[in-house]
Amino acid sequence: MNNKIPDITIIGGGVIGLLTAREFFQAGATVTVIEKNQIGRESSWAGGGILLPLYPWRQPDAITRLVIQSLILYPALASQLKAEAGIDPEWNPCGLLMAKNPDIAAATNWCRANDVRFESAGAEFFNLLNTQPDNPLWMPDIAQARNPRLVKSLKQDLINKGIRLIEQCELEDVTLAQGRITSITTSTGQFAVNQLILCAGAWTGQLFQQFFPSIGHAPEIAPVKGQMLLFDARPDTLPYMVLDEDQYLIPRLDGKILAGSTVEQDDFNKTTTTEARDRLESFALNLLPALKNYPLINHWAGLRPGTKHGVPYIDKHPEIANLSLNAGHFRNGLAMGPASAQLMVDLILDRPAVVASEPYRLSSPH
């Protein structure tokens, strides 16, 4: 058994686990992160990185609260990571064009209520695009982060800070005594724990059922597959992100353009399909005809941690004294991540919460 017991042990090395580890470190805690595969190579790696939910006014307010706080935190976070880790997470406030907004009154009300700048998008926004705009909305301050770069940057930052990261280490058993977890057994050995936090994304619900089958307040989190494409375009082919109905194009700083995404109930199957590729490619080439000049270079899938309404679980377990959860962010792990980490640390360290915690409790609807 490892003799040095960290204050915090985190199961899951995706963006939520890494941000949570970083927040605890900044609060003075010692942290170990345990990841069953490679750090950040699941949903965190696979997503598009738009730092705003698709049509946030159609989402529960609980999502908005974490997103707005994260928007406040991101500029400093990205700047610190770039400077201290030496890896640019490519936080890029390139703006977001929403081509079709039949519920424009709800959209503008949401923007005003949350101090998100917006304006009606004129014809000049559509010179490169082939679509029929419907109350198009331009949101100039909305940023993106390049998922793999953000994860690499966070990982290096944690290594630099001396946080212990254990990869290829699968949770195999949990020892409970008098309502507390005393130790965990993994594929690489046994670890004593003080506080244990499940940040295992799409696998969190499965882990809870496996190790705590007779204990209540189980999180309802299930995998939801999303497939994406990448085109090898040149810089300035597309200057901003475009959302057209339920699909989008995201231009990276190097010019590559990401097209996404599907929403599929397919258990833990990450296989890509020809059908999804053809559908996404057709969408991308139709919306941005200039993409016909550039090769399609990548097609992948990831598993999002889905909850019924997309609201994550961020809570201390009411029956197991030293178990907490920060998981279930569905499509918005990056968009809600910094504030989610902040709230998790607020709860465990009894700090005044910046975001009210009630909607994320295990007993609340998600």
Side-chain angles (χ1 to χ4, degrees), residues 234-291:
R234 288 204 303 260
D236 301 324
T237 302
L238 181 66
Y240 36 75
M241 300 178 284
V242 182
L243 175 63
D244 193 44
E245 294 185 330
D246 61 350
Q247 294 173 308
Y248 50 78
L249 297 178
I250 304 173
R252 300 306 197 194
L253 286 172
D254 61 5
K256 292 180 173 61
I257 293 175
L258 189 151
S261 71
T262 64
V263 179
E264 305 167 60
Q265 307 290 337
D266 198 14
D267 201 33
F268 286 92
N269 175 18
K270 285 195 293 181
T271 307
T272 57
T273 64
T274 303
E275 177 193 7
R277 185 196 66 207
D278 291 349
R279 181 152 48 92
L280 289 170
E281 184 177 26
S282 175
F283 156 76
L285 298 183
N286 179 66
L287 179 61
L288 183 62
L291 282 178

Side-chain angles (χ1 to χ4, degrees), residues 275-340:
E275 177 193 7
R277 185 196 66 207
D278 291 349
R279 181 152 48 92
L280 289 170
E281 184 177 26
S282 175
F283 156 76
L285 298 183
N286 179 66
L287 179 61
L288 183 62
L291 282 178
K292 294 171 184 173
N293 300 319
Y294 302 108
L296 170 59
I297 57 169
N298 203 358
H299 175 205
W300 67 92
L303 299 176
R304 310 176 184 97
T307 61
K308 186 174 181 181
H309 301 293
V311 177
Y313 294 86
I314 310 170
D315 198 11
K316 297 192 288 187
H317 195 275
E319 294 175 54
I320 304 173
N322 59 340
L323 176 66
S324 300
L325 291 93
N326 188 2
H329 294 73
F330 190 34
R331 304 182 77 163
N332 298 302
L334 264 67
M336 294 192 279
S340 296

Side-chain angles (χ1 to χ4, degrees), residues 43-77:
S43 180
S44 302
W45 195 269
I50 303 174
L51 299 179
L52 189 79
L54 307 185
Y55 309 105
W57 47 90
R58 301 175 191 170
Q59 314 289 338
D61 184 65
I63 293 176
T64 290
R65 298 281 63 81
L66 292 173
V67 167
I68 296 301
Q69 176 62 10
S70 293
L71 288 177
I72 293 167
L73 297 172
Y74 254 115
L77 171 65

Side-chain angles (χ1 to χ4, degrees), residues 38-347:
Q38 288 178 279
I39 291 287
R41 293 303 291 254
E42 295 292 348
S43 180
S44 302
W45 195 269
I50 303 174
L51 299 179
L52 189 79
L54 307 185
Y55 309 105
W57 47 90
R58 301 175 191 170
Q59 314 289 338
D61 184 65
I63 293 176
T64 290
R65 298 281 63 81
L66 292 173
V67 167
I68 296 301
Q69 176 62 10
S70 293
L71 288 177
I72 293 167
L73 297 172
Y74 254 115
L77 171 65
S79 177
Q80 289 167 11
L81 288 175
K82 186 177 179 180
E84 296 171 18
I87 299 171
D88 186 357
E90 296 193 11
W91 178 83
N92 176 19
C94 60
L96 173 64
L97 173 65
M98 292 187 167
K100 297 181 177 71
N101 299 286
D103 49 353
I104 189 65
T108 55
N109 288 340
W110 183 92
C111 290
R112 289 190 186 99
N114 293 289
D115 294 322
V116 174
R117 281 205 305 151
F118 71 94
E119 60 190 67
S120 179
E124 69 276 9
F125 282 92
F126 294 90
N127 292 336
L128 302 169
L129 303 173
N130 174 39
T131 189
Q132 297 297 318
D134 178 10
N135 296 311
L137 203 62
W138 169 239
M139 307 172 81
D141 300 328
I142 298 305
Q144 57 164 298
R146 192 165 185 165
N147 304 51
R149 304 286 174 89
L150 176 62
V151 168
K152 286 179 181 177
S153 186
L154 280 166
K155 179 181 178 181
Q156 188 59 52
D157 184 58
L158 298 189
I159 290 169
N160 293 350
K161 287 173 164 52
I163 291 171
R164 190 179 183 198
L165 306 179
I166 307 174
E167 298 180 278
Q168 309 293 344
C169 179
E170 192 155 1
L171 187 62
E172 294 181 344
D173 198 12
V174 174
T175 303
L176 268 169
Q178 296 176 319
R180 290 183 65 85
I181 297 165
T182 56
S183 66
I184 58 173
T185 303
T186 75
S187 54
T188 62
Q190 192 175 29
F191 299 86
V193 298
N194 284 316
Q195 291 280 346
L196 186 71
I197 305 177
L198 291 183
C199 296
W203 287 265
T204 303
Q206 186 187 67
L207 286 176
F208 200 93
Q209 296 291 355
Q210 181 180 350
F211 298 115
F212 310 108
S214 61
I215 292 173
H217 297 94
E220 295 182 17
I221 300 173
V224 182
K225 183 160 75 174
Q227 299 188 51
M228 313 277 277
L229 304 181
L230 190 68
F231 292 86
D232 194 15
R234 288 204 303 260
D236 301 324
T237 302
L238 181 66
Y240 36 75
M241 300 178 284
V242 182
L243 175 63
D244 193 44
E245 294 185 330
D246 61 350
Q247 294 173 308
Y248 50 78
L249 297 178
I250 304 173
R252 300 306 197 194
L253 286 172
D254 61 5
K256 292 180 173 61
I257 293 175
L258 189 151
S261 71
T262 64
V263 179
E264 305 167 60
Q265 307 290 337
D266 198 14
D267 201 33
F268 286 92
N269 175 18
K270 285 195 293 181
T271 307
T272 57
T273 64
T274 303
E275 177 193 7
R277 185 196 66 207
D278 291 349
R279 181 152 48 92
L280 289 170
E281 184 177 26
S282 175
F283 156 76
L285 298 183
N286 179 66
L287 179 61
L288 183 62
L291 282 178
K292 294 171 184 173
N293 300 319
Y294 302 108
L296 170 59
I297 57 169
N298 203 358
H299 175 205
W300 67 92
L303 299 176
R304 310 176 184 97
T307 61
K308 186 174 181 181
H309 301 293
V311 177
Y313 294 86
I314 310 170
D315 198 11
K316 297 192 288 187
H317 195 275
E319 294 175 54
I320 304 173
N322 59 340
L323 176 66
S324 300
L325 291 93
N326 188 2
H329 294 73
F330 190 34
R331 304 182 77 163
N332 298 302
L334 264 67
M336 294 192 279
S340 296
Q342 192 178 59
L343 178 57
M344 185 82 273
V345 179
D346 289 345
L347 291 171

